[in-house]
Amino acid sequence: MVGDGFRVFNYFPNNGLSQQRVSPFLMMDFNAEFDFGPSDHLRGVDVHPHKGFETVTIAYKGSVAHHDSTGNSGVINPGDVQWMTAGSGILHKEYHEKEFSKTGGPFEMVQLWVNLPAKHKLTGPKYQAITADQMGKVILDDDGGVVNVIAGSFNQHQGPATTFTPVNMFDIRINKGKSLAVNIPADHNTVLLVVSGAISVNGEKAGLHDLVLFKNTGEEIAISADEEGVLLLLSGEPINEPIAQYGPFVMNTHRELQEAFEEFQSGKFGVLE
């Protein structure tokens, strides 16, 4: 449990899968579908700091609200994405949206941490509220399904998210018995999460909640659906810089981590109640 509102499985960094191997991605937590039931209080994570990277929350089921110390706030519903750049430092809290918390129901989310290169680690905090209808949409041939492009480009369709380094983030909905091919630069680090369903990837089986890690050879990924599925495909150009992390701060050196703690403790990240 993260707070009392997010029942997550941590895919990386974990089990030998390092942050360097999946750079620019730093962390993936998956809240597989879970029915929290109704609550008389807002479940979630209380005020906490971030510095030096971005958080990306992808909503599949349920609704999440958030506030931060720059005055941003919002709600993401199924199909929406919350993309927050912590940059030079921010305070943040996130929790089940008020009405969803009252009624309860199925809840399914992915949260990613995306690194920032050294030259952008002190960029000003910002927030991208990306709704489902803003996604780049690619309808697959032969009733194959749809690819919602969150970031990067798929078949000349651009996603709405702005990124500091080259990143592809595709929400793929594929129908049973159908297939698609995705072209990814060979030098990108690439992973695919099977949110639901069962598939074959480059001839290898991948089942429910499996994470597929790709080698940095070749450019085409061939996917076929043994069952109707929801897939999250992530790729990015590696940031070949040192990673210094302690909790919610991700910098390049231990000295910078110390500075982050000092800034947080002295109130430089603002105020959030």
Side-chain angles (χ1 to χ4, degrees), residues 2 9 28 60 116 120 124 191 207 214 223 236 238 259 269 271:
V2 177
F9 298 87
M28 174 190 280
Y60 293 98
L116 291 170
H120 293 304
V191 295
F214 294 89
I223 300 170
E259 290 172 356
F269 290 2
V271 177

Side-chain angles (χ1 to χ4, degrees), residues 21-64:
R21 178 60 183 86
V22 293
S23 175
F25 307 103
L26 294 163
M27 187 201 75
M28 174 190 280
D29 278 349
F30 177 38
N31 189 130
E33 182 177 345
F34 182 77
D35 194 326
F36 278 92
S39 174
D40 59 2
H41 72 281
L42 295 180
R43 294 188 175 100
V45 183
D46 208 351
V47 179
H48 56 282
H50 290 301
K51 183 180 179 179
F53 64 100
E54 302 181 286
T55 69
V56 181
T57 304
I58 303 167
Y60 293 98
K61 297 177 182 178
S63 300
V64 174

Side-chain angles (χ1 to χ4, degrees), residues 174-180 198-200 223-229:
I174 188 168
N175 293 327
K176 182 178 180 179
K178 303 301 181 179
S179 61
L180 80 155
I199 60 172
S200 295
I223 300 170
S224 59
D226 302 323
E227 302 172 9
E228 181 179 353

Side-chain angles (χ1 to χ4, degrees), residues 121-137:
K121 280 198 177 291
L122 300 184
T123 192
K126 70 172 186 174
Y127 174 68
Q128 299 177 70
I130 305 171
T131 57
D133 61 359
Q134 294 174 319
M135 302 292 178
K137 289 191 181 294

Side-chain angles (χ1 to χ4, degrees), residues 11 30-33 58 60-61 108-110 171-173 192-198 207-210 229-233:
Y11 280 69
F30 177 38
N31 189 130
E33 182 177 345
I58 303 167
Y60 293 98
K61 297 177 182 178
E108 187 176 49
M109 303 270 163
V110 168
D171 167 34
I172 301 170
R173 313 297 174 108
L192 183 149
L193 174 67
V194 183
V195 177
S196 66
L208 179 67
H209 301 165
D210 279 349
V230 176
L231 317 172
L232 177 62
L233 181 66

